[in-house]
Each structure stands twice: as structure tokens, then as C-alpha cells.
Amino acid sequence: MFTAAALQSDSKREQYAELAEQARGLLHGERDRIANAANFAALVYNALPGLNWAGFYFFDGSELVVGPFQGKPACVRIALDKGVCGAAASTRQTQVVRDVNVFPGHIACDAASRSEIVVPLVFDGALLGVFDVDSPELARFDDDDRAGMELLARTFLQSLTGD
């Protein structure tokens, strides 16, 4: 598992690779999106230090709707033109926000959140949703976290196909 000291070291990418391997083992043999999302969110939330929310928003064809997560209660629906989740979904690009208070249109579901990373989930060319992780720490996420979270998101998507 991760420690705060390890997350600040050069081995951060290796530790994300280990977490992705744990996720593969946890999700192996199960293709149900909700079951896998629930276990995946719990794994990430409990493995990474400095988080106050980790979970999914799934695209229903018009907006993002909250899915399985760990943390305080969340906003239920997010328009694609609102907040960090909406930006990730509409651009299909990972959003790394070092200070949510300066992000235009940020949605404060939990006032304690200070930084956020959101990875879009694209499955067979279609938007499935986003994987969203918040932290009460300012500038908690960096480019190593971007690469690691994108690896984790690919691991989750692969679980849906059994690949």
C-alpha cells in the first residue's frame, strides 16, 4: 500500500503500477460495471493517502450521474459544461486541478476539497463517465498522479470486457 513518503519519491509510478495490479486481481472475473466501480473506488480511496473522495460519475446520455464512491455524500448530477468532472467528460482529457478554488465553474460538493483529478472513461469510443478523486490538500496531484490515475482508469475499463 501507499505511504505519504512513498508518494513523494521517484517510485510513485511503480506504486501506481502495483495498485493497478491489485485492482486487476480484485476485479478479475467480474464484468458488472457497478460492482467493479464500487470495489475499485474503495481500493483507491483506501490505498492513496490524502484523499477525501474517490468515485465515479456515469454518463446517462445527457449528464453525469453519481455512481459508486467513497467519501462524503456527493452532488448527484453534473452537466457536461460544469465543474472539473464536466470538463473531463466534455474534452475527454484528464483534468488535474491543483487548486479547485481557481477552476472556473468548480462545483463544491465538499467544501473541504482543495485539489482534484478527473479521468474520462471512454469505452468502445463512447463516453462511459469519469473517475473523480478529490483531496483536502492543495496541489495534491501532479503529472505522476495523472499517469497513475489514467493507468488505473484503463484497468477499470479492461475489467468490463474481461480482457
Side-chain angles (χ1 to χ4, degrees):
M1 288 292 165
F2 285 71
T3 64
L7 281 175
Q8 296 172 1
S9 74
D10 291 334
S11 66
K12 194 183 225 184
R13 287 180 188 247
E14 292 173 9
Q15 294 194 5
Y16 269 109
E18 290 173 16
L19 184 55
E21 188 61 33
Q22 290 175 6
R24 274 189 285 283
L26 179 65
L27 306 178
H28 180 74
E30 180 57 62
R31 290 188 183 173
D32 185 85
R33 178 180 71 169
I34 300 302
N36 283 351
N39 274 331
F40 186 87
L43 177 68
V44 172
Y45 184 80
N46 287 291
L48 297 175
L51 304 184
N52 62 334
W53 204 89
F56 291 86
Y57 280 90
F58 291 120
F59 184 56
D60 72 355
S62 62
E63 62 189 346
L64 297 169
V65 180
V66 72
F69 68 90
Q70 296 284 304
K72 291 184 178 179
C75 301
V76 175
R77 296 180 181 275
I78 299 176
L80 295 187
D81 62 347
K82 301 290 184 202
V84 182
C85 289
S90 62
T91 65
R92 295 187 181 193
Q93 294 180 352
T94 300
Q95 303 291 307
V96 179
V97 180
R98 298 174 63 78
D99 183 351
V100 296
N101 293 320
V102 298
F103 187 89
H106 175 256
I107 302 168
C109 296
D110 181 352
S113 292
R114 301 284 312 279
S115 59
E116 185 171 4
I117 184 168
V118 182
V119 181
L121 302 171
V122 179
F123 186 72
D124 287 339
L127 179 66
L128 177 67
V130 298
F131 182 60
D132 179 21
V133 180
D134 294 1
S135 175
E137 299 172 15
L138 190 63
R140 163 65 180 81
F141 306 108
D142 60 19
D143 284 337
D144 286 336
D145 293 297
R146 174 194 306 265
M149 291 291 184
E150 288 173 347
L151 172 64
L152 291 173
R154 285 191 304 275
T155 301
F156 171 76
L157 289 170
Q158 288 168 350
S159 77
L160 303 180
T161 64
D163 293 341

Coordinates of all heavy atoms in Angstrom, one line a residue, residues 22-98:
Q22 N -3.2 -4.7 -8.2 CA -4.1 -5.1 -7.1 C -5.6 -4.9 -7.7 O -6.4 -5.8 -7.4 CB -3.9 -4.2 -5.9 CG -2.7 -4.5 -5.1 CD -2.5 -3.5 -4.0 OE1 -3.3 -2.6 -3.7 NE2 -1.3 -3.5 -3.4
A23 N -5.8 -3.9 -8.4 CA -7.1 -3.7 -9.0 C -7.5 -4.8 -10.0 O -8.6 -5.3 -10.0 CB -7.2 -2.3 -9.7
R24 N -6.5 -5.2 -10.8 CA -6.8 -6.3 -11.8 C -7.2 -7.5 -11.0 O -8.1 -8.2 -11.4 CB -5.6 -6.5 -12.6 CG -5.5 -5.6 -13.9 CD -4.4 -6.1 -14.8 NE -3.1 -5.7 -14.4 CZ -2.6 -4.5 -14.5 NH1 -3.2 -3.5 -15.0 NH2 -1.3 -4.3 -14.0
G25 N -6.5 -7.8 -9.9 CA -6.8 -9.0 -9.1 C -8.2 -8.9 -8.5 O -9.0 -9.9 -8.5
L26 N -8.5 -7.7 -8.0 CA -9.8 -7.5 -7.3 C -11.0 -7.6 -8.3 O -12.0 -8.2 -8.0 CB -9.8 -6.1 -6.7 CG -11.1 -5.7 -5.9 CD1 -11.3 -6.6 -4.7 CD2 -10.9 -4.2 -5.5
L27 N -10.8 -7.1 -9.5 CA -11.9 -7.1 -10.5 C -11.9 -8.3 -11.4 O -12.9 -8.4 -12.1 CB -11.7 -5.8 -11.3 CG -11.6 -4.5 -10.5 CD1 -11.5 -3.3 -11.5 CD2 -12.8 -4.3 -9.6
H28 N -10.9 -9.1 -11.3 CA -10.8 -10.3 -12.3 C -12.0 -11.1 -12.2 O -12.5 -11.5 -11.1 CB -9.6 -11.1 -11.9 CG -9.4 -12.3 -12.8 ND1 -9.0 -12.2 -14.1 CD2 -9.6 -13.6 -12.6 CE1 -8.9 -13.4 -14.6 NE2 -9.3 -14.3 -13.7
G29 N -12.5 -11.4 -13.4 CA -13.7 -12.4 -13.5 C -15.0 -11.7 -13.3 O -16.1 -12.4 -13.5
E30 N -15.1 -10.5 -13.0 CA -16.4 -9.8 -12.8 C -16.5 -8.7 -13.8 O -15.6 -7.9 -14.0 CB -16.5 -9.2 -11.4 CG -17.8 -8.4 -11.1 CD -19.0 -9.3 -11.3 OE1 -19.1 -10.4 -10.6 OE2 -19.8 -9.1 -12.2
R31 N -17.6 -8.7 -14.6 CA -17.8 -7.7 -15.6 C -18.9 -6.7 -15.3 O -19.1 -5.7 -16.0 CB -18.2 -8.4 -16.9 CG -17.0 -9.1 -17.5 CD -17.4 -9.6 -18.9 NE -16.3 -10.3 -19.4 CZ -16.3 -11.0 -20.6 NH1 -17.4 -11.0 -21.3 NH2 -15.3 -11.7 -21.0
D32 N -19.5 -6.8 -14.1 CA -20.6 -5.9 -13.8 C -20.0 -4.5 -13.4 O -19.1 -4.4 -12.5 CB -21.4 -6.4 -12.6 CG -22.6 -5.5 -12.3 OD1 -23.6 -5.7 -12.9 OD2 -22.4 -4.6 -11.4
R33 N -20.4 -3.5 -14.1 CA -19.9 -2.2 -14.0 C -20.0 -1.6 -12.6 O -19.1 -1.0 -12.0 CB -20.5 -1.2 -15.0 CG -20.0 0.2 -14.9 CD -20.7 1.1 -15.9 NE -22.1 1.3 -15.6 CZ -22.9 2.2 -16.1 NH1 -22.4 2.9 -17.1 NH2 -24.1 2.3 -15.7
I34 N -21.2 -1.8 -12.0 CA -21.5 -1.2 -10.7 C -20.7 -1.9 -9.6 O -20.0 -1.3 -8.7 CB -23.0 -1.2 -10.4 CG1 -23.7 -0.4 -11.4 CG2 -23.2 -0.7 -8.9 CD1 -23.3 1.1 -11.5
A35 N -20.6 -3.2 -9.7 CA -19.9 -4.0 -8.7 C -18.4 -3.6 -8.8 O -17.7 -3.4 -7.7 CB -20.1 -5.5 -8.9
N36 N -17.8 -3.6 -10.0 CA -16.4 -3.2 -10.2 C -16.1 -1.8 -9.7 O -15.1 -1.5 -9.1 CB -16.0 -3.5 -11.6 CG -15.8 -5.0 -11.8 OD1 -15.8 -5.8 -10.9 ND2 -15.6 -5.3 -13.1
A37 N -17.0 -0.9 -10.1 CA -16.8 0.5 -9.7 C -16.8 0.7 -8.2 O -16.0 1.4 -7.6 CB -17.9 1.4 -10.3
A38 N -17.7 -0.1 -7.5 CA -17.7 0.0 -6.0 C -16.4 -0.5 -5.4 O -15.8 0.2 -4.5 CB -18.9 -0.8 -5.5
N39 N -16.0 -1.6 -5.8 CA -14.7 -2.2 -5.3 C -13.5 -1.3 -5.7 O -12.6 -1.1 -4.9 CB -14.5 -3.6 -5.7 CG -15.2 -4.6 -4.8 OD1 -15.4 -4.3 -3.6 ND2 -15.6 -5.7 -5.3
F40 N -13.5 -0.9 -6.9 CA -12.4 0.0 -7.4 C -12.3 1.3 -6.6 O -11.2 1.7 -6.2 CB -12.6 0.2 -8.9 CG -11.5 1.0 -9.5 CD1 -10.4 0.3 -10.1 CD2 -11.5 2.3 -9.7 CE1 -9.4 0.9 -10.7 CE2 -10.5 3.0 -10.3 CZ -9.4 2.3 -10.8
A41 N -13.4 1.9 -6.4 CA -13.4 3.2 -5.6 C -12.9 2.9 -4.2 O -12.1 3.7 -3.7 CB -14.8 3.8 -5.6
A42 N -13.4 1.9 -3.6 CA -12.9 1.5 -2.2 C -11.4 1.3 -2.2 O -10.7 1.7 -1.3 CB -13.7 0.3 -1.7
L43 N -10.9 0.5 -3.2 CA -9.5 0.2 -3.2 C -8.7 1.5 -3.3 O -7.7 1.7 -2.6 CB -9.2 -0.7 -4.4 CG -7.7 -1.0 -4.6 CD1 -7.2 -1.9 -3.5 CD2 -7.5 -1.7 -6.0
V44 N -9.0 2.4 -4.3 CA -8.2 3.6 -4.5 C -8.3 4.5 -3.2 O -7.3 5.0 -2.8 CB -8.7 4.3 -5.8 CG1 -8.1 5.7 -5.9 CG2 -8.4 3.5 -7.0
Y45 N -9.5 4.7 -2.7 CA -9.7 5.6 -1.6 C -8.9 5.1 -0.4 O -8.3 6.0 0.3 CB -11.2 5.6 -1.2 CG -11.6 6.5 -0.1 CD1 -11.8 7.9 -0.3 CD2 -11.8 6.1 1.2 CE1 -12.1 8.8 0.7 CE2 -12.1 6.9 2.2 CZ -12.3 8.3 2.0 OH -12.6 9.1 3.0
N46 N -8.8 3.8 -0.2 CA -8.1 3.3 1.0 C -6.6 3.1 0.8 O -5.8 3.1 1.7 CB -8.7 2.0 1.5 CG -10.1 2.3 2.2 OD1 -10.1 2.8 3.3 ND2 -11.1 1.9 1.5
A47 N -6.2 3.1 -0.5 CA -4.8 2.9 -0.8 C -4.0 4.2 -0.9 O -2.8 4.2 -0.6 CB -4.6 2.1 -2.1
L48 N -4.6 5.3 -1.3 CA -3.9 6.5 -1.5 C -4.1 7.5 -0.3 O -5.3 7.7 0.0 CB -4.4 7.2 -2.8 CG -4.1 6.5 -4.1 CD1 -4.8 7.2 -5.3 CD2 -2.6 6.3 -4.3
P49 N -3.0 8.0 0.2 CA -3.2 9.0 1.3 C -3.7 10.3 0.8 O -3.5 10.7 -0.4 CB -1.8 9.1 1.9 CG -0.9 8.8 0.7 CD -1.6 7.8 -0.1
G50 N -4.3 11.1 1.7 CA -4.6 12.5 1.4 C -5.8 12.6 0.5 O -5.9 13.6 -0.2
L51 N -6.8 11.7 0.5 CA -8.0 11.8 -0.3 C -9.2 12.0 0.6 O -9.2 11.5 1.7 CB -8.2 10.5 -1.1 CG -7.1 10.0 -2.0 CD1 -7.6 8.8 -2.8 CD2 -6.7 11.1 -3.0
N52 N -10.2 12.7 0.1 CA -11.4 12.8 0.8 C -12.6 12.3 0.0 O -13.8 12.3 0.5 CB -11.7 14.2 1.4 CG -11.8 15.3 0.4 OD1 -11.2 15.1 -0.7 ND2 -12.5 16.3 0.7
W53 N -12.4 11.9 -1.3 CA -13.4 11.4 -2.1 C -12.8 10.7 -3.3 O -11.8 11.1 -3.9 CB -14.3 12.5 -2.7 CG -15.7 12.1 -3.1 CD1 -16.8 12.0 -2.3 CD2 -16.1 11.7 -4.4 NE1 -17.9 11.6 -3.0 CE2 -17.5 11.4 -4.3 CE3 -15.5 11.5 -5.6 CZ2 -18.3 10.9 -5.3 CZ3 -16.2 11.0 -6.7 CH2 -17.6 10.7 -6.5
A54 N -13.3 9.5 -3.7 CA -12.9 8.8 -4.9 C -14.1 8.0 -5.4 O -14.7 7.3 -4.6 CB -11.8 7.8 -4.5
G55 N -14.4 8.3 -6.7 CA -15.6 7.6 -7.2 C -15.9 7.9 -8.6 O -15.1 8.5 -9.3
F56 N -17.1 7.5 -9.0 CA -17.5 7.5 -10.4 C -18.7 8.4 -10.6 O -19.6 8.5 -9.8 CB -17.8 6.1 -10.9 CG -16.6 5.2 -11.0 CD1 -16.2 4.5 -9.8 CD2 -16.0 5.0 -12.2 CE1 -15.1 3.6 -9.9 CE2 -14.9 4.2 -12.2 CZ -14.4 3.5 -11.1
Y57 N -18.7 9.0 -11.8 CA -19.9 9.6 -12.4 C -20.1 9.0 -13.7 O -19.1 8.9 -14.5 CB -19.7 11.1 -12.5 CG -20.0 11.9 -11.2 CD1 -18.9 12.2 -10.4 CD2 -21.2 12.3 -10.9 CE1 -19.1 12.9 -9.2 CE2 -21.4 13.0 -9.7 CZ -20.4 13.3 -8.9 OH -20.6 14.0 -7.7
F58 N -21.3 8.4 -13.9 CA -21.5 7.7 -15.2 C -22.4 8.6 -16.1 O -23.3 9.3 -15.6 CB -22.2 6.4 -15.0 CG -21.3 5.4 -14.4 CD1 -21.5 4.8 -13.1 CD2 -20.1 5.0 -15.0 CE1 -20.7 3.9 -12.6 CE2 -19.2 4.1 -14.4 CZ -19.5 3.5 -13.2
F59 N -22.1 8.6 -17.4 CA -22.8 9.4 -18.4 C -24.1 8.7 -18.7 O -24.1 7.5 -19.1 CB -22.0 9.6 -19.6 CG -22.5 10.5 -20.7 CD1 -22.9 11.8 -20.4 CD2 -22.7 10.0 -22.0 CE1 -23.5 12.6 -21.3 CE2 -23.2 10.9 -22.9 CZ -23.6 12.1 -22.6
D60 N -25.3 9.4 -18.6 CA -26.6 8.8 -18.9 C -27.1 9.2 -20.3 O -28.3 9.0 -20.6 CB -27.6 9.1 -17.8 CG -28.0 10.6 -17.8 OD1 -27.5 11.4 -18.6 OD2 -28.9 10.9 -17.0
G61 N -26.3 9.8 -21.1 CA -26.7 10.3 -22.4 C -26.9 11.8 -22.5 O -26.8 12.4 -23.5
S62 N -27.0 12.4 -21.3 CA -27.2 13.9 -21.3 C -26.4 14.5 -20.2 O -25.9 15.7 -20.4 CB -28.6 14.3 -21.2 OG -29.2 13.8 -20.0
E63 N -26.1 13.9 -19.1 CA -25.3 14.4 -18.0 C -24.6 13.3 -17.2 O -24.9 12.1 -17.4 CB -26.2 15.3 -17.1 CG -27.3 14.4 -16.4 CD -28.4 15.3 -15.7 OE1 -28.1 16.5 -15.4 OE2 -29.4 14.7 -15.3
L64 N -23.8 13.7 -16.3 CA -23.1 12.8 -15.4 C -23.9 12.5 -14.2 O -24.4 13.5 -13.6 CB -21.7 13.3 -15.0 CG -20.7 13.5 -16.2 CD1 -19.5 14.3 -15.7 CD2 -20.3 12.2 -16.8
V65 N -24.1 11.3 -13.8 CA -24.8 10.9 -12.6 C -23.9 10.1 -11.7 O -23.2 9.2 -12.1 CB -26.1 10.0 -13.0 CG1 -26.9 9.6 -11.8 CG2 -26.9 10.7 -14.0
V66 N -24.0 10.5 -10.4 CA -23.1 9.8 -9.4 C -23.2 8.3 -9.4 O -24.4 7.8 -9.5 CB -23.3 10.4 -8.0 CG1 -24.6 10.0 -7.4 CG2 -22.1 10.1 -7.1
G67 N -22.1 7.6 -9.3 CA -22.1 6.2 -9.2 C -21.4 5.8 -7.9 O -21.3 6.6 -7.0
P68 N -20.9 4.6 -7.8 CA -20.2 4.2 -6.6 C -19.1 5.1 -6.2 O -18.3 5.5 -7.1 CB -19.8 2.7 -6.9 CG -20.7 2.3 -8.0 CD -21.0 3.5 -8.8
F69 N -18.9 5.3 -4.9 CA -17.9 6.2 -4.4 C -17.6 5.9 -3.0 O -18.3 5.2 -2.3 CB -18.2 7.7 -4.6 CG -19.3 8.2 -3.8 CD1 -19.1 8.7 -2.5 CD2 -20.7 8.1 -4.2 CE1 -20.1 9.2 -1.7 CE2 -21.7 8.6 -3.4 CZ -21.4 9.1 -2.1
Q70 N -16.5 6.5 -2.5 CA -16.1 6.5 -1.1 C -15.9 8.0 -0.7 O -15.3 8.7 -1.5 CB -14.8 5.8 -0.9 CG -14.8 4.3 -1.2 CD -15.5 3.5 -0.1 OE1 -15.2 3.5 1.0 NE2 -16.6 2.8 -0.5
G71 N -16.4 8.4 0.4 CA -16.3 9.7 0.9 C -17.6 10.3 1.3 O -18.6 9.5 1.5
K72 N -17.7 11.6 1.5 CA -18.9 12.2 1.9 C -19.9 12.2 0.8 O -19.6 12.0 -0.4 CB -18.7 13.7 2.4 CG -17.9 13.8 3.7 CD -17.7 15.2 4.1 CE -17.0 15.3 5.4 NZ -16.8 16.7 5.8
P73 N -21.2 12.4 1.1 CA -22.2 12.5 0.1 C -21.8 13.5 -1.0 O -21.2 14.5 -0.7 CB -23.5 12.9 0.8 CG -23.3 12.4 2.2 CD -21.8 12.6 2.5
A74 N -22.2 13.2 -2.2 CA -21.8 13.9 -3.4 C -22.9 14.5 -4.2 O -24.1 14.2 -4.0 CB -21.0 13.0 -4.3
C75 N -22.6 15.5 -5.0 CA -23.5 16.0 -6.0 C -24.1 14.8 -6.8 O -23.3 14.0 -7.2 CB -22.9 17.0 -6.9 SG -22.1 18.4 -6.0
V76 N -25.3 14.8 -7.1 CA -25.9 13.7 -7.8 C -25.8 13.8 -9.3 O -25.4 12.9 -10.0 CB -27.4 13.5 -7.5 CG1 -28.1 12.4 -8.3 CG2 -27.5 13.2 -6.0
R77 N -26.0 15.0 -9.9 CA -26.0 15.2 -11.3 C -25.0 16.4 -11.7 O -25.1 17.4 -11.0 CB -27.4 15.5 -11.9 CG -28.3 14.3 -11.7 CD -29.7 14.5 -12.2 NE -30.5 13.3 -12.0 CZ -30.5 12.3 -12.8 NH1 -29.8 12.2 -13.9 NH2 -31.2 11.2 -12.5
I78 N -24.2 16.2 -12.7 CA -23.3 17.2 -13.2 C -23.5 17.4 -14.7 O -23.3 16.4 -15.4 CB -21.9 16.9 -12.8 CG1 -21.7 16.8 -11.3 CG2 -20.9 17.9 -13.4 CD1 -20.3 16.3 -10.9
A79 N -23.7 18.6 -15.1 CA -23.8 18.9 -16.6 C -22.4 18.8 -17.2 O -21.4 19.1 -16.5 CB -24.5 20.3 -16.8
L80 N -22.4 18.5 -18.5 CA -21.1 18.4 -19.1 C -20.4 19.7 -19.3 O -19.2 19.7 -19.5 CB -21.3 17.7 -20.5 CG -21.8 16.3 -20.5 CD1 -21.7 15.7 -21.9 CD2 -21.0 15.4 -19.6
D81 N -21.0 20.8 -19.0 CA -20.4 22.1 -19.1 C -20.1 22.7 -17.7 O -19.8 23.9 -17.6 CB -21.2 23.1 -20.0 CG -22.5 23.4 -19.4 OD1 -23.0 22.7 -18.5 OD2 -23.2 24.3 -19.9
K82 N -20.1 21.9 -16.7 CA -19.9 22.3 -15.3 C -18.8 21.6 -14.6 O -18.7 20.4 -14.7 CB -21.2 22.2 -14.5 CG -22.4 22.9 -15.1 CD -22.3 24.4 -14.9 CE -23.5 25.1 -15.4 NZ -23.4 26.4 -15.8
G83 N -18.0 22.3 -13.9 CA -17.1 21.7 -13.0 C -15.9 20.9 -13.6 O -15.8 20.8 -14.9
V84 N -15.1 20.3 -12.8 CA -13.9 19.6 -13.3 C -14.4 18.3 -13.9 O -13.9 17.9 -15.0 CB -13.0 19.3 -12.1 CG1 -11.8 18.5 -12.6 CG2 -12.6 20.6 -11.4
C85 N -15.4 17.6 -13.4 CA -15.9 16.4 -14.0 C -16.5 16.7 -15.4 O -16.3 15.9 -16.3 CB -17.0 15.8 -13.1 SG -16.3 15.0 -11.6
G86 N -17.3 17.7 -15.5 CA -17.9 18.1 -16.8 C -16.8 18.4 -17.8 O -16.9 18.0 -19.0
A87 N -15.7 19.1 -17.3 CA -14.6 19.4 -18.3 C -13.9 18.2 -18.8 O -13.6 18.0 -19.9 CB -13.6 20.4 -17.6
A88 N -13.7 17.2 -17.8 CA -13.0 16.0 -18.3 C -13.9 15.2 -19.2 O -13.4 14.6 -20.2 CB -12.7 15.1 -17.0
A89 N -15.2 15.2 -18.9 CA -16.1 14.4 -19.8 C -16.3 15.1 -21.2 O -16.2 14.4 -22.2 CB -17.5 14.3 -19.1
S90 N -16.4 16.4 -21.2 CA -16.6 17.0 -22.5 C -15.4 17.1 -23.4 O -15.5 17.0 -24.6 CB -17.2 18.4 -22.3 OG -16.3 19.3 -21.6
T91 N -14.2 17.2 -22.7 CA -13.0 17.3 -23.5 C -12.3 15.9 -23.7 O -11.4 15.8 -24.6 CB -11.9 18.2 -22.8 OG1 -11.5 17.6 -21.6 CG2 -12.4 19.6 -22.6
R92 N -12.8 15.0 -22.9 CA -12.2 13.6 -22.9 C -10.7 13.7 -22.6 O -9.9 12.9 -23.1 CB -12.5 12.9 -24.2 CG -14.0 12.6 -24.4 CD -14.2 11.7 -25.5 NE -15.7 11.5 -25.7 CZ -16.2 10.6 -26.4 NH1 -15.5 9.8 -27.1 NH2 -17.5 10.5 -26.5
Q93 N -10.3 14.6 -21.7 CA -8.9 14.8 -21.3 C -8.9 14.8 -19.8 O -9.8 15.4 -19.2 CB -8.3 16.0 -21.9 CG -8.2 16.0 -23.4 CD -7.5 17.3 -23.9 OE1 -7.3 18.3 -23.2 NE2 -7.2 17.3 -25.2
T94 N -7.9 14.2 -19.2 CA -7.7 14.2 -17.8 C -7.5 15.6 -17.3 O -6.8 16.4 -17.9 CB -6.5 13.3 -17.3 OG1 -6.8 12.0 -17.8 CG2 -6.3 13.3 -15.8
Q95 N -8.2 16.0 -16.2 CA -8.1 17.3 -15.6 C -7.4 17.1 -14.3 O -7.8 16.4 -13.4 CB -9.5 17.9 -15.4 CG -10.4 18.0 -16.6 CD -9.8 19.0 -17.6 OE1 -9.6 20.2 -17.2 NE2 -9.7 18.6 -18.8
V96 N -6.3 17.9 -14.1 CA -5.5 17.9 -12.9 C -5.6 19.3 -12.4 O -5.1 20.3 -13.0 CB -4.0 17.5 -13.1 CG1 -3.3 17.6 -11.7 CG2 -3.9 16.1 -13.6
V97 N -6.3 19.5 -11.3 CA -6.6 20.8 -10.7 C -5.9 21.0 -9.4 O -6.3 20.3 -8.4 CB -8.1 21.1 -10.6 CG1 -8.3 22.5 -10.0 CG2 -8.8 20.9 -12.0
R98 N -4.8 21.8 -9.3 CA -4.1 22.0 -8.1 C -4.8 22.8 -7.1 O -4.6 22.6 -5.9 CB -2.7 22.6 -8.5 CG -1.9 21.7 -9.4 CD -0.6 22.4 -9.9 NE 0.3 22.7 -8.8 CZ 1.1 21.9 -8.2 NH1 1.1 20.6 -8.6 NH2 1.9 22.2 -7.3

